[in-house]
Amino acid sequence: GIPQLLSHTPAQAELAPELGAAAILGALDRPAEVAANLDAFFADADRIGAARRHAWHLAQTRYCWEVEKDKFLTSLARALT
């Protein structure tokens, strides 16, 4: 249930919509902007709660070994043959 701070790199920007409320996207080369985004996030208890709930949901349904193991093991088997 831990929201993630993502940078504006292509991969993380592509991931942000999937993470939804569990993501805080910021341009790390603009620290004042990131600080303002984090201040706004931590000042909103409802937003924090929603972010934690969504992060926990993703951890249980998407970003967990039970879901990812088949993809990983298939890729590993393919690489070793």
Side-chain angles (χ1 to χ4, degrees), residues 40-70:
F41 176 80
F42 286 112
D44 187 340
D46 291 336
R47 187 174 172 198
I48 293 170
R52 286 182 171 180
R53 285 188 300 277
H54 190 61
W56 180 250
H57 171 75
L58 289 171
Q60 298 298 306
T61 62
R62 170 67 177 89
Y63 297 103
C64 61
W65 178 246
E66 288 77 17
V67 172
E68 294 296 319
K69 70 180 173 188
D70 292 331

Side-chain angles (χ1 to χ4, degrees), residues 24-42:
I24 304 164
L25 192 60
L28 300 182
D29 60 340
R30 289 182 253 155
E33 180 182 310
V34 173
N37 288 342
L38 289 173
D39 285 345
F41 176 80
F42 286 112

